[in-house]
Amino acid sequence: MHVVVARFTAEPGAEDNVAAHLAEMIPHALDEPGCRAYIVNRLEDDPAVFLLYEQYDDADAFAEHGKTQAFNDIVLGKIVPLLKERKREIYALVEPA
């Protein structure tokens, strides 16, 4: 399992727009083949900070996610221009033996 943890920090004043666009992205991501989870969280102590937890079958499924029309229109087109910072980490799921 390919796990992606992304942390977005919105520009001042853009926090609610980022939240709305992230909510718009959720059903699109979950409809993608190979996407097992797409969970968006907002930091309670700082509403400008968002944590995305995503699970994909493999790295190829994640790569395909980045090629979708929804990703390009919503994430790259609407969200990224509203961000002060964007970080991403890739993990492998530890599963029982």
Side-chain angles (χ1 to χ4, degrees):
M1 185 77 60
H2 191 80
V3 177
V4 179
V5 176
R7 184 178 171 105
F8 294 171
T9 303
E11 291 283 358
E15 300 91 339
D16 290 339
N17 285 336
V18 170
H21 295 316
L22 285 169
E24 178 186 0
M25 185 62 200
I26 294 169
H28 294 286
L30 292 174
D31 279 346
E32 296 170 19
C35 180
R36 301 294 166 220
Y38 193 90
I39 301 167
V40 178
N41 304 274
R42 194 170 187 177
L43 188 61
E44 289 186 2
D45 294 339
D46 184 351
V49 178
F50 298 86
L51 180 93
L52 285 69
Y53 177 83
E54 308 169 43
Q55 285 186 337
Y56 298 89
D57 287 340
D58 52 32
D60 290 339
F62 176 64
E64 289 302 312
H65 165 71
K67 297 176 186 175
T68 64
Q69 190 69 46
F71 182 86
N72 283 282
D73 290 349
I74 299 168
V75 176
L76 297 181
K78 296 179 181 179
I79 297 172
V80 170
L82 301 175
L83 299 181
K84 180 166 58 172
E85 185 174 50
R86 179 180 178 209
K87 295 181 181 179
R88 182 178 72 190
E89 297 175 324
I90 307 296
Y91 294 85
L93 186 65
V94 177
E95 301 186 53

